[in-house]
Amino acid sequence: MSKRGLVLEGGALRGLFTAGIIDVMMEHDVWPDALIGVSAGAAFGCNYKSRQPGRAIRYNTRFASDPRYSGLRSLLLSGDYFNAHFAYHVVPKQYDVFDDEAFEQNPMTFIAVCTDVETGQPVYKQLERSDETTYDWIRASASMPLASRIVELEGYKLLDGGVGDSIPLEYFEQIGYRHNVVILTQPDGYRKSHNRLMPLMRLALHKYPKMIEALDHRHEKYNSQLDYVREAEREGRCLVIRPDAPIPIGHVSHDAAKMRLVYDIGRQSGLRHINKIKEFYQCE
């Protein structure tokens, strides 16, 4: 049987749609050989490897309005809209404990995608141990430009993985995963436009011209990747799950009810597709 992969794109809080789907997959005992997550896809997808369905929606709704977790106050005081220490080190250790042991014992390969701001290129980091450094790699993957500080980690300067490789299906196929479920957070027919915040991006990242170039052309690369996914889907190399309509939430939100709605939309989609996912993963 071909190695089975799961590809999770980002989308900030649109990723709660993905969280709903992967929770259904876990509840139905569906375990791919590997998962690659970008931005929110990594931040929520890590709960797949730690076998913790429900965790992503639980802590997001619990801390939706908590200024320690996220907000303009955190952005102004720390440089991160999602507070780096509280969200990525206090919550998983004290409030909604991340199962480090289960993460390490699960044989599923887990890869987080980040972007190297000095080169503008993606960095694919396989994470096997569950420790503070792993938490920071996941944070780096989800660190949106303008809303986050650059994360300096293991010799890299890193930001949002979606800049370098938003939908890493081609990369996953190249390293041997030829039977992939791809979860997108935009509906069929979506096309990304040029980023209207580029003037601010140029100012904030003026020391990193390669990153500015990558941001400037991100929409072109993303739309090309959508075309690649569509062709792979047509050829039967991947199974794609998309929302039926635009997801009713922004990149950031403090509305717990809206978060729950998005998660429930994902769960409903997961339940509709679960038999198809099982059948697809069982194919030779």
Side-chain angles (χ1 to χ4, degrees):
M1 180 181 290
S2 299
K3 289 199 290 185
R4 302 167 300 177
L6 179 60
V7 179
L8 307 181
E9 80 156 326
L13 286 178
R14 292 198 313 273
L16 289 172
F17 168 80
T18 301
I21 295 172
I22 63 177
D23 280 358
V24 169
M25 292 171 68
M26 283 189 274
E27 290 162 6
H28 284 77
D29 206 29
V30 176
W31 303 102
D33 300 306
L35 184 160
I36 187 166
V38 182
S39 193
F44 300 156
C46 63
N47 298 299
Y48 207 130
K49 185 169 170 63
S50 68
R51 300 176 184 264
Q52 291 179 280
R55 183 173 177 273
I57 186 60
R58 192 167 58 235
Y59 71 75
N60 272 282
T61 52
R62 176 178 178 180
F63 296 104
S65 300
D66 193 324
R68 295 174 299 171
Y69 185 73
S70 66
L72 291 177
R73 182 175 182 271
S74 175
L75 180 63
L76 291 172
L77 293 179
S78 72
D80 293 297
Y81 190 91
F82 290 92
N83 186 278
H85 177 65
F86 186 80
Y88 288 94
H89 295 281
V90 175
V91 170
K93 288 296 185 183
Q94 296 182 24
Y95 292 105
D96 201 315
V97 176
F98 188 72
D99 194 332
D100 295 321
E101 183 178 359
F103 183 95
E104 294 182 358
Q105 290 182 351
N106 188 341
M108 181 178 70
T109 297
F110 179 83
I111 298 174
V113 184
C114 303
T115 302
D116 183 336
V117 300
E118 295 183 314
T119 66
Q121 296 299 309
V123 176
Y124 305 98
K125 179 66 175 181
Q126 182 172 337
L127 299 170
E128 298 175 346
R129 293 187 55 78
S130 187
D131 53 22
E132 302 295 334
T133 300
T134 284
Y135 297 171
D136 279 331
W137 273 102
I138 293 169
R139 172 168 71 94
S141 181
S143 291
M144 298 179 290
L146 299 183
S148 309
R149 292 171 294 164
I150 291 171
V151 180
E152 297 191 25
L153 190 60
E154 296 187 1
Y156 291 100
K157 294 181 179 181
L158 303 165
L159 280 175
D160 184 5
V163 179
D165 194 348
S166 294
I167 312 171
L169 174 62
E170 184 174 7
Y171 169 79
F172 232 24
E173 290 183 333
Q174 289 173 351
I175 65 171
Y177 297 95
R178 303 297 176 86
H179 219 65
N180 295 293
V181 171
V182 180
I183 302 179
L184 303 179
T185 59
Q186 295 285 7
D188 196 14
Y190 172 80
R191 306 297 283 186
K192 186 178 285 294
S193 301
H194 187 256
N195 194 328
R196 59 186 174 82
L197 296 178
M198 275 310 302
L200 290 176
M201 300 280 192
R202 293 181 191 280
L203 183 64
L205 295 166
H206 66 277
K207 295 181 181 179
Y208 305 102
K210 295 293 187 181
M211 185 65 170
I212 292 172
E213 182 180 0
L215 284 161
D216 202 23
H217 295 280
R218 183 183 178 186
H219 64 297
E220 298 167 356
K221 184 173 182 179
Y222 182 86
N223 292 335
S224 177
Q225 289 185 314
L226 286 177
D227 294 338
Y228 184 90
V229 169
R230 172 67 74 186
E231 181 64 15
E233 182 181 27
R234 187 187 66 79
E235 294 179 357
R237 302 200 318 268
C238 72
L239 173 65
V240 183
I241 304 175
R242 309 170 176 86
D244 296 328
I247 293 175
I249 200 167
H251 277 78
V252 297
S253 174
H254 299 281
D255 188 334
K258 189 173 288 187
M259 293 177 186
R260 171 64 65 175
L261 172 63
V262 171
Y263 173 78
D264 287 343
I265 292 171
R267 283 196 63 88
Q268 292 162 13
S269 183
L271 289 168
R272 289 200 312 272
H273 288 90
I274 191 63
N275 289 332
K276 188 180 293 185
I277 293 169
K278 289 180 176 181
E279 291 171 4
F280 179 79
Y281 273 155
Q282 289 170 358
C283 291
E284 293 291 334

